[in-house]
Amino acid sequence: MSTIDFLEDSLAHSAPESSAVGVDAVAVSAWFGSNKVLERVNLSMPPRTVTALIGPSGCGKSTFLRILNRMHESVPAAKMAGEVRLNGQDIYAPSVRITHMRKRIGMVFQKPNPFPAMSIAENVTAGLKLTGTKVSRSERSDIIEGCLRRGGLWNEVKDRLDEPGQALSGGQQQRLCIARSLAVNPDVLLMDEPCSALDPTSTRRIEETIAELAPDVTIVIVTHNMQQAARVSQQCAFFLAEQGSPGGIVEAGTTKQLFEDPHDSRTADYVNGRFG
Amino acid sequence: MTTAELDTPRELGQVYSTADKAFRRTTAGIGMTVLALTGAIGLFLGYQAIPTLRRYGLSFFTENQWLPQRDVVGLSSVLLGTVEVALVALVVGFPLALMTALYISEYAPRRLKSWFVGLIDLMAAVPSIIYGLWGFFFLQPQTIHVSRWLAQHFGWIPVFHVDTDPNAATWAQTKFTASAFIAGLAVSMMVIPLACAVMRSVFAQAPLGEREAALALGATRWGMIRTVVIPFGQGGIIGGTMLALGRALGETVAVLLIISPAFDIKVNILQVGTETTSALIAGLFGEASKAQLSALLTAGFVLFVLTLAVNTVAAVFVNRSRSGAATEI
Amino acid sequence: MTVVNEGVELTVTGNPPTATPDVPRALATRSFDDRASWMSAMAGALGIVWIAYQITGWSGRLGFTLLWFVVYLALYAAISRAGNPRPVVFDRLAAATVAGGAVVVGLALLSTVSYTVQKGWPAFSQWGNFYTETAAGVRPTAPLDQGGILHAIAGTAIMVGIALLISLPLGLGTAVYMTEVGGRAARVVRTVVEAMTALPDVLAGLFVYATLILVFHLDRTGFVAAVALAVTMTPIVARSAEVALRVVPGGLREASLALGASQGSTVWRVVLPTARAGLATSLILGIARISGETAPLLIVSGASTYQNLNPFAEPMNSLPLYIFSAVRSGQPNFIARGFGAATVLLALVTVLFALARYLARPKRGSR
C-alpha cells in the first residue's frame, strides 16, 4: 500500500474498533532558527491510549505536540529532524499529502478558536467542507449530533445550532472545537493545554469528554496540571529542558508508575510539586 | 459629619502651569486652524456654488451640454463619465488589488514580503501624471486591440458597443482611443495600491488561532483563506474598495491626459470621448470666463460632496474591521 | 493489538546508539507533481494560444497575455483534476489566480517605470544642457541638445520648499494636538483630517483659487501654487506624523512628567526626539506626494518658460506642469523632453521614497 493510499483510505466513517492507529516519534529534534529546542525525542503513543505530556514551561512539549501534525513548520524558521510514524508510515515523507495527514491527526488548541463567521452547526461540519468530504443532508445532521454528543455539548446547544459559535461560553467553545475536530473522524487527537483558559467546571467536563473518547481515538494531551494528567492519562512523558540545553524526555511510562514510583529524581521532584 | 458626605468624589481637576497652558493653547490653535482650513474648503466651494445652482436649478444636474457661452451648463454627462471611469477602475482594480493583497499576506515568501509591501507603497507614491503618460503612450496602443475584440464579441451589450464596424479589415482605430475604458485602466493603477494596502493590513491581522484551527482540520491554504482570512477581512475589503472608489472619482491628470472631451450621455465605454468632473475642472479652468468659472467651482463642490460621502462610508468600514471580529481571549 | 494501561511498550529518552547525524529535514510541502503540473500547464497554454493567434490572425500583446493566462488556468485545472481531490484542485487554481493577479500588478508597475525611463532617457541623458538651461527662447521643435528644465526644477524646489514651511508646523502641530492634548475637539480634527487626505487634489487648487485669487486678488504666482500644495500636504503630514507620535511609549511621557517637566518640554525634549525617524518619514512621503502633484497647479499656477526665482511675482513653472504641457504639444522633441522631466520626477520620488523607508526601517537590537 503506498503512502498516499494509506492516508486517503480513512475517509469512510468506520467502526472505531477497526481504526486502531498509534503514533510513534522517532529521534525527533526541533529548532527555531539556530536555537535547538528538542533533542532526539523518542516516544510511542499507542492506539486508544491517552498520553499526557507534562513538564515545566519552555521544555518543548508543545513544540513536540505540534510536530506530530506538522503545525510546527508553519512557524517562521522552524525546523525538525527525525520521523513521526502514523501506523508505521512517516508523515514527513514527501509523498504524504499534508492535508490528508492532518485530517487523520486532529488538534485542539489552548485557546478555543471556533470560526466566528459560522454557526455552531457549521463549525462542527467545517472540517468536512474544508477537506471536500461530500455528505448527504441526513448524514450531515447525524454527524453534527454525533460529534456534539461525543464532545459533551449536545444537550446544551441542540436547540440553538444556528447561533454563532462565539455566542457560547469559553468552556462550551472548547468543547465545540473538540466536536469540530471529531467530525472528520480522526484517528489521533492532539490537545495543547485544552483547559488552561477554562474554569474548573468546564475543565471537568472536558476531562469527561476525553475519557469518553479514549476508547476510539488515540489522544495526546499537553498539560500543566499534574492532577489532570493523573486523572485522564494512561501513560505519561515528562519533558525537561536543562539550563541552556534543548528539551527532551526525562522519563516516560505508565501514569501510575510515573506518579507513584518515578525512576528519576527530577521526575519525582516535579510530580510532587517541588519545582516547575 | 455623616458618612454620605465623606463619600463624595473629590474634584481632581488638573491645574496646568502657565507653560503647559501656553503649550495646550498653541497646539489647539494649530489644530483648529487646520480644522478651519479644511472646513473652509467645503464652505468656500459651497458659497461659490450658490449663485450657479440658483441660476440653473435642477437643470444643472440634468443638462448634459457644457456651453457656458450659450448659457447652457449641466453636469449629467460629466457625472455619468465620472462614474463610468471610476467603475472601470474598480472592476479592473478590485480583483487585482484583492489578489495582490492575498498574495503578499498569504503566499509570498516571508523574506520578500516587506519588499513587496514597499513596492506597493512606491506604486502609491508614483505621481499620477506618470500613470497618465503610461496610459496614453504605452497602454492605449495595446488596449485598443482588446477594446476591438470586446466590441467584436460583446458589441450586442450596449456597454461594449462602438459606432463603427469592428470587423472591418482596416478598422477605425481612432474610434477606440481616448475612451472611458482606457482612462479607467490608468486610474486603476492608482487605486490598486490604495485598496491593496488597506486589504493587506487587515488580512495580516486575521487571528493565528483560527488560521491554525482551519489548517489542523486538514484545510488547504485556500480553504484556510476562504474560511478564516476573507471573512475576517471583509470590512477591510469593502473599506479599501470604497477608498479606491473615492480616489477614482477624483482622479484628475491621468484622465485629463487620456480622454478627449465629449458631453454625450452614453454608456458605451469603449468608444472615443468622455468627460469626468475633475478633468473638466482642470481642463477648462485655464481659459475660463467669469460665468464659466463659477460653474466649474460648482462642479468642484459637487465632487467635494460626492467624494466626502464615499470616503466617510469607507472610513466607517475600515475602522469597524479593525476592532473585534477575532476570537478574543 | 492489545493495549492496556500496564505493560505498554515504551521507548524512552536519550540518543539512540546508532544516531545518524541530527540535521534538519527538508520540509518541502510541494511535491514533484505540484511543480510539474503548473509548469506543463503554462507551456501548453503558451503553445495553444500561439497557434490560435497564427490561425485567426488576432493581434495585440495584451490580449495574447490575457488569453494565455485564461488557457493556463483551464489547463492547470484539467491536469490537477486527474489524481487530486477537489480541495487540492481549488487550492491550486486559487494559488495560480492570486499569483497571476500579483504578477499583473507587478508587471504594470514595472512597465510604467521602464517605459517612462526608456522614453525619457534621450532627454534625461543630455547632461550638458537638460539640467543647466531653461526653455526660454527654445522652440518646441528644437533638438534635444538645446534648452532644459532648470526653470521647472527650480520652480518645483521653491514651491515645495514654501509648501513645506507652511505645512510642517501646521501638520506637526496638529499631530501633537491630536496625540498629546486630545479631547473631543481633537477627535473632530482627526476625523476631518482623515477625510481631507482622501479628497481629490484638484479641489485644493479650486479652494486656493476661490480664496487667494478671487477674494484677495493675488496673481498666479509661485507662492499661490505653493499654498495649494500646502493645503494638499498638511493633512497628509498631520496624519502620518500622528501615527509616528502614537508609537512613542506612554511610559516615556510619564517618566518625563514625573521628573517635574512641563507638558510642553516633555513633548519638545522627549516625545518629538523619540519619534524623529517616524516624523522624518512622514515628512518625506509628504514631499514625494506634492512634488508630483499636477492638478492643483493646473488651476492656480501659470507656466513660465524662463527662470523665475521670485515666488511672489510672475508665474513659475514646475516639473509636473512642464511634463503636462510638453506631452500635450504634439511635437516629438518636446514630448521627449516631457518624458525626460518625468524620469527626473520619478527618480526624485523613488529616492525620497527609499530615504523614507531607510529612516523608518526597524532598528536591530534596540529595545
Side-chain angles (χ1 to χ4, degrees):
Chain A
M1 206 191 263
S2 82
T3 322
I4 289 183
D5 287 345
F6 125 80
L7 280 168
E8 287 183 1
D9 67 5
S10 73
L11 275 179
H13 285 249
S14 48
E17 283 77 16
S18 64
S19 60
V21 177
V23 183
D24 298 284
V26 181
V28 167
S29 298
W31 294 259
F32 288 111
S34 56
N35 182 24
K36 195 171 191 182
V37 294
L38 270 185
E39 177 70 43
R40 295 188 207 221
V41 174
N42 291 299
L43 185 66
S44 170
M45 288 146 278
R48 287 178 244 139
T49 305
V50 178
T51 304
L53 311 179
I54 58 172
S57 299
C59 62
K61 55 193 190 309
S62 278
T63 304
F64 177 71
L65 192 77
R66 288 168 64 86
I67 283 177
L68 297 183
N69 74 341
R70 299 190 68 164
M71 293 304 286
H72 171 66
E73 65 207 56
S74 64
V75 177
K79 289 179 279 211
M80 67 81 67
E83 286 186 10
V84 175
R85 295 187 190 139
L86 181 67
N87 221 7
Q89 295 279 358
D90 182 15
I91 64 167
Y92 282 86
S95 56
V96 170
R97 205 188 287 291
I98 197 162
T99 51
H100 277 277
M101 178 276 295
R102 283 191 182 138
K103 201 158 84 171
R104 298 194 65 187
I105 307 180
M107 189 163 197
V108 175
F109 296 82
Q110 191 170 347
K111 293 176 183 170
N113 49 11
F115 298 127
M118 295 184 188
S119 70
I120 293 172
E122 285 167 343
N123 259 293
V124 175
T125 53
L128 299 174
K129 216 172 113 195
L130 284 170
T131 52
T133 313
K134 284 261 162 20
V135 287
S136 71
R137 191 172 285 235
S138 64
E139 265 180 299
R140 185 172 177 273
S141 53
D142 287 351
I143 290 173
I144 292 171
E145 179 173 347
C147 292
L148 284 171
R149 275 191 195 284
R150 291 168 82 192
L153 193 61
W154 174 249
N155 288 327
E156 291 158 62
V157 302
K158 63 184 171 196
D159 299 324
R160 43 179 184 143
L161 292 174
D162 292 328
E163 283 179 29
Q166 292 213 310
L168 299 172
S169 74
Q172 290 174 324
Q173 286 189 15
Q174 191 65 301
R175 278 176 281 148
L176 176 60
C177 292
I178 295 176
R180 180 176 65 185
S181 36
L182 293 175
V184 289
N185 213 17
D187 299 312
V188 181
L189 193 56
L190 311 175
M191 304 177 114
D192 190 358
E193 300 184 40
C195 305
S196 69
L198 306 181
D199 61 279
T201 317
S202 304
T203 302
R204 208 190 61 234
R205 289 289 294 118
I206 289 186
E207 287 178 11
E208 287 166 17
T209 304
I210 293 173
E212 285 157 21
L213 292 176
D216 312 338
V217 186
T218 306
I219 293 178
V220 186
I221 177 169
V222 167
T223 176
H224 270 124
N225 183 330
M226 238 27 67
Q227 285 75 35
Q228 183 172 65
R231 284 193 299 265
V232 302
S233 70
Q234 287 89 54
Q235 76 161 28
C236 215
F238 174 51
F239 280 70
L240 189 62
E242 307 276 10
Q243 197 78 53
S245 64
I249 293 181
V250 171
E251 186 172 357
T254 65
T255 306
K256 199 167 154 43
Q257 176 256 316
L258 214 74
F259 276 80
E260 290 171 7
D261 178 28
H263 299 317
D264 195 294
S265 63
R266 293 170 296 179
T267 316
D269 287 349
Y270 186 75
V271 299
N272 292 315
R274 281 195 285 271
F275 83 95
Chain B
M1 214 191 244
T2 64
T3 36
E5 274 170 339
L6 268 177
D7 209 17
T8 19
R10 291 182 60 172
E11 285 291 322
L12 291 174
Q14 206 175 336
V15 179
Y16 294 108
S17 69
T18 323
D20 274 356
K21 273 184 197 154
F23 164 76
R24 296 175 78 88
R25 289 216 182 107
T26 315
T27 54
I30 295 175
M32 290 306 144
T33 310
V34 171
L35 187 65
L37 200 71
T38 44
I41 295 186
L43 285 180
F44 260 92
L45 291 178
Y47 176 72
Q48 297 285 345
I50 292 172
T52 313
L53 288 178
R54 225 180 241 156
R55 181 182 173 90
Y56 298 102
L58 209 58
S59 78
F60 189 71
F61 297 99
T62 54
E63 172 61 48
N64 70 309
Q65 287 301 315
W66 189 273
L67 301 164
Q69 60 276 38
R70 279 205 267 143
D71 206 22
V72 177
V73 164
L75 274 185
S76 63
S77 64
V78 178
L79 287 177
L80 181 66
T82 309
V83 172
E84 279 174 11
V85 170
L87 281 185
V88 171
L90 273 201
V91 167
V92 175
F94 168 74
L96 287 177
L98 181 61
M99 287 190 272
T100 310
L102 279 177
Y103 180 79
I104 294 175
S105 105
E106 308 297 323
Y107 288 91
R110 225 177 288 270
R111 207 167 330 151
L112 299 177
K113 229 174 241 192
S114 69
W115 279 97
F116 288 150
V117 173
L119 273 182
I120 292 296
D121 289 346
L122 177 65
M123 191 172 170
V126 170
S128 64
I129 189 164
I130 305 248
Y131 289 121
L133 298 189
W134 175 79
F136 182 75
F137 289 98
F138 176 80
L139 196 62
Q140 177 154 292
Q142 303 287 327
T143 310
I144 52 172
H145 296 277
V146 177
S147 296
R148 181 198 182 197
W149 185 84
L150 283 171
Q152 278 173 328
H153 296 90
F154 301 98
W156 47 274
I157 306 172
V159 173
F160 297 124
H161 181 75
V162 177
D163 292 332
T164 174
D165 179 17
N167 294 311
T170 50
W171 51 294
Q173 298 208 354
T174 51
K175 272 282 188 189
F176 293 87
T177 57
S179 64
F181 178 60
I182 297 171
L185 286 184
V187 173
S188 76
M189 286 294 286
M190 281 162 271
V191 304
I192 286 171
L194 194 68
C196 177
V198 174
M199 293 178 191
R200 188 200 57 79
S201 66
V202 177
F203 291 158
Q205 291 166 16
L208 186 65
E210 285 157 34
R211 289 167 179 268
E212 292 198 329
L215 291 177
L217 285 172
T220 57
R221 189 183 338 217
W222 174 243
M224 185 273 287
I225 292 172
R226 223 189 40 193
T227 43
V228 177
V229 178
I230 290 183
F232 178 84
Q234 243 166 19
I237 295 175
I238 299 172
T241 310
M242 294 292 285
L243 272 184
L245 177 63
R247 176 79 201 262
L249 288 171
E251 181 43 48
T252 313
V253 184
V255 177
L256 184 60
L257 274 174
I258 290 170
I259 59 166
S260 62
F263 294 94
D264 320 317
I265 300 272
K266 66 174 171 69
V267 292
N268 23 2
I269 54 170
L270 299 179
Q271 189 168 315
V272 60
T274 186
E275 187 60 280
T276 73
T277 319
S278 48
L280 174 84
I281 297 169
L284 295 184
F285 216 86
E287 56 266 20
S289 63
K290 186 92 181 164
Q292 192 173 0
L293 276 181
S294 61
L296 288 175
L297 285 165
T298 312
F301 181 64
V302 173
L303 183 64
F304 176 83
V305 173
L306 196 65
T307 46
L308 200 62
V310 171
N311 289 333
T312 310
V313 176
V316 169
F317 272 105
V318 174
N319 290 336
R320 191 182 297 165
S321 77
R322 298 246 166 97
S323 57
T327 311
E328 200 55 64
I329 279 174
Chain C
M1 206 190 259
T2 57
V3 179
V4 281
N5 285 5
E6 311 295 323
V8 175
E9 186 215 328
L10 289 174
T11 326
V12 191
T13 75
N15 298 352
T18 57
T20 46
D22 195 16
V23 286
R25 293 181 67 161
L27 296 176
T29 48
R30 302 173 101 213
S31 64
F32 172 75
D33 177 56
D34 286 343
R35 255 167 293 153
S37 295
W38 76 261
M39 284 181 190
S40 55
M42 197 129 227
L46 180 62
I48 290 173
V49 174
W50 188 77
I51 290 170
Y53 264 62
Q54 298 305 309
I55 294 171
T56 57
W58 290 340
S59 55
R61 264 183 294 172
L62 196 60
F64 184 91
T65 321
L66 285 177
L67 197 59
W68 180 17
F69 186 67
V70 172
V71 176
Y72 158 63
L73 286 184
L75 266 188
Y76 193 30
I79 292 174
S80 300
R81 276 303 280 157
N84 285 299
R86 279 166 59 87
V88 174
V89 178
F90 282 125
D91 185 44
R92 285 184 174 184
L93 280 185
T97 313
V98 165
V103 166
V104 168
V105 173
L107 283 181
L109 178 62
L110 185 72
S111 78
T112 308
V113 173
S114 63
Y115 183 75
T116 307
V117 172
Q118 176 210 330
K119 290 270 281 184
W121 190 253
F124 187 81
S125 57
Q126 296 293 329
W127 311 108
N129 58 310
F130 197 58
Y131 306 98
T132 54
E133 294 176 15
T134 68
V138 180
R139 282 171 295 110
T141 50
L144 292 180
D145 56 8
Q146 289 175 28
I149 56 166
L150 181 63
H151 61 305
I153 294 176
T156 286
I158 292 170
M159 286 182 201
V160 170
I162 296 174
L164 202 57
L165 284 181
I166 300 171
S167 60
L168 178 61
L170 282 183
L172 204 54
T174 309
V176 169
Y177 175 61
M178 291 191 287
T179 53
E180 308 297 320
V181 178
R184 191 177 302 162
R187 273 200 294 280
V188 175
V189 172
R190 176 177 307 124
T191 311
V192 172
V193 162
E194 207 155 299
M196 270 299 295
T197 51
L199 271 194
D201 41 15
V202 71
L203 293 181
L206 274 192
F207 167 65
V208 168
Y209 183 87
T211 49
L212 292 188
I213 296 182
L214 282 189
V215 179
F216 294 101
H217 302 291
L218 297 182
D219 288 328
R220 293 183 171 186
T221 58
F223 175 72
V224 172
V227 172
L229 293 182
V231 170
T232 322
M233 186 179 178
T234 305
I236 298 173
V237 171
R239 208 174 132 187
S240 49
E242 189 210 352
V243 174
L245 291 180
R246 194 148 290 218
V247 296
V248 174
L252 284 183
R253 293 187 185 95
E254 287 174 6
S256 168
L257 292 173
L259 288 171
S262 71
Q263 198 180 6
S265 61
T266 300
V267 169
W268 189 249
R269 294 186 193 283
V270 178
V271 177
L272 291 184
T274 312
R276 203 169 37 213
L279 294 176
T281 305
S282 71
L283 197 63
I284 292 170
L285 289 181
I287 296 175
R289 168 77 190 271
I290 60 165
S291 311
E293 200 68 82
T294 322
L297 300 185
L298 281 172
I299 289 171
V300 293
S301 168
S304 67
T305 56
Y306 51 89
Q307 179 86 299
N308 173 18
L309 297 179
N310 181 0
F312 296 101
E314 301 190 25
M316 267 184 178
N317 211 326
S318 58
L319 279 174
L321 269 192
Y322 179 87
I323 298 168
F324 187 79
S325 50
V327 296
R328 290 204 125 193
S329 68
Q331 302 291 341
N333 278 344
F334 204 15
I335 293 177
R337 283 200 197 94
F339 269 97
T343 309
V344 173
L345 186 58
L346 194 57
L348 176 73
V349 168
T350 311
V351 167
L352 285 173
F353 185 80
L355 191 64
R357 292 273 298 180
Y358 174 76
L359 285 173
R361 75 200 181 281
K363 298 270 186 311
R364 244 174 239 175
S366 73
R367 256 180 293 149

